[in-house]
Amino acid sequence: MRERGFAVTEEEVADAVDALDEAGVLLRAGSDAELPAPTRRRHESNLRFYDLFADLGRTSADIHRAVEAADVLLLGAGGLGSGVLQALLGLGVGRVRLVDFDTVEEKNLARQFTYGQDDIGRPKVHAARDWATRYSPATTVDQICARVSDVESIRRLGRGASVVVCAIDSPDGIQLLVNEACFDLGVPYVTGGLQYSSLFYWSVGPGVSACRLCLELHRDDEARATPERANPTVLLTAGRVNRATGPIAQLLAGHVALEALRYVTRTDPPVAAATYHAIHLADDMRT
Ligand SMILES: [Zn+2]
């Protein structure tokens, strides 16, 4: 600036840099070099995404390292869970504890892209781990072939996890069980699903946001106070018809994985904390 005839002091420049950093428009040049070359190559687009949230104090490399350090408990390797697994490996999450008790069926191949024709009849956790091993050796996938049906087992599985993703819809009341376990552990959780013709997802940050129980109590209060409005619990019990095509499952998995990423990196606040997000498939994708 001096060369161009502006009279500025170093103090003024430092103040300007602080102001620009506060506005979130500065990155620390060359900070990618902190990462090994293969990591930079593989995660180039991830790093450029993190640039949107990085500043002089926290670089995109720092954010990537937070992802590498993450340990995700993923309940379910079905329509939602297998898509979330793919997203997590693409991001380079360090560890995934994958829990499922199902075997691969032919109908799964419409939307569960971690499985192929040869996997039919195999336990999903084994087939998913095989996919993961081929896709990226950087993520450790623990295969846990189990049915989750009580708070204690979820608590045990979730101890030390960075975030829990609940991608199962049975047994009935599973959300309240996961809610209770995650509250005890202080671990955030993210979940989603398809109800009738709407995708939904939401999350809970224990001690920060309202929890699932709060949501249900509030919904009951609201239903009593405003009987003219459609009661969402009617939809929740409307039967389980599976309309999740591949694109729909991918869309939902993307939203859920992004929300999990927000908890892991703390780059920007979770968008669905105690907030029911719905995407209406039969209504112009209205949200
Ligand atoms: Zn609550």
Side-chain angles (χ1 to χ4, degrees):
M1 289 180 77
R2 281 175 193 147
E3 279 169 18
R4 291 175 178 212
F6 291 97
V8 288
T9 65
E10 294 198 6
E11 224 168 80
E12 285 169 328
V13 172
D15 284 348
V17 167
D18 282 348
L20 289 169
D21 192 31
E22 220 161 278
V25 297
L26 295 185
L27 298 173
R28 204 191 304 157
S31 57
D32 279 8
E34 298 163 14
L35 299 171
T39 304
R40 292 203 302 271
R41 284 195 299 272
R42 181 159 187 142
H43 295 286
E44 168 69 23
S45 62
N46 289 329
L47 290 164
R48 299 294 72 80
F49 175 69
Y50 304 145
D51 285 352
L52 300 174
F53 308 99
D55 56 27
L56 294 186
R58 195 179 191 212
T59 66
S60 299
D62 291 332
I63 297 170
H64 176 74
R65 280 189 289 251
V67 174
E68 282 182 329
D71 180 339
V72 180
L73 173 63
L74 177 52
L75 300 174
L80 175 57
S82 63
V84 170
L85 180 71
Q86 291 184 312
L88 295 176
L89 264 82
L91 291 164
V93 162
R95 181 177 208 140
V96 178
R97 315 172 188 183
L98 181 63
V99 185
D100 200 291
F101 65 91
D102 271 337
T103 51
V104 178
E105 295 175 71
E106 202 165 9
K107 65 180 182 183
N108 300 148
L109 302 184
R111 64 186 184 281
Q112 300 177 22
F113 303 119
T114 45
Y115 312 121
Q117 193 72 30
D118 295 346
D119 292 317
I120 291 170
R122 297 181 68 204
K124 283 188 176 176
V125 288
H126 297 173
R129 221 253 305 246
D130 285 352
W131 171 84
T133 303
R134 279 196 308 279
Y135 184 76
S136 172
T139 303
T140 302
V141 176
D142 297 335
Q143 33 183 351
I144 304 159
C145 201
R147 185 192 289 267
V148 175
S149 57
D150 62 279
V151 174
E152 179 46 37
S153 62
I154 302 166
R155 219 171 3 223
R156 186 165 33 77
L157 292 164
R159 200 159 282 137
S162 323
V163 61
V164 173
V165 175
C166 179
I168 49 179
D169 57 7
S170 68
D172 286 342
I174 182 66
Q175 297 295 350
L176 286 174
L177 302 179
V178 176
N179 183 68
E180 187 178 338
C182 287
F183 246 84
D184 291 348
L185 295 168
V187 174
Y189 84 102
V190 186
T191 189
L194 176 62
Q195 299 288 356
Y196 193 64
S197 61
S198 298
L199 291 177
F200 68 88
Y201 71 101
W202 48 272
S203 69
V204 172
V208 182
S209 73
C211 74
R212 171 71 184 198
L213 192 56
C214 295
L215 181 74
E216 295 205 353
L217 294 172
H218 173 70
R219 192 167 53 199
D220 289 347
D221 288 347
E222 193 179 55
R224 271 192 294 273
T226 56
E228 69 281 6
R229 287 180 59 179
N231 184 348
T233 52
V234 173
L235 290 186
L236 295 176
T237 54
R240 298 208 172 107
V241 179
N242 196 332
R243 303 175 208 276
T245 63
I248 290 169
Q250 287 178 305
L251 180 64
L252 181 63
H255 280 291
V256 167
L258 269 176
E259 183 76 346
L261 181 68
R262 293 184 191 105
Y263 280 106
V264 163
T265 61
R266 303 282 171 182
T267 47
D268 55 336
V271 300
T275 306
Y276 219 68
H277 278 240
I279 301 165
H280 302 291
L281 302 172
D283 188 8
D284 294 338
M285 302 299 281
R286 188 169 55 83
T287 60

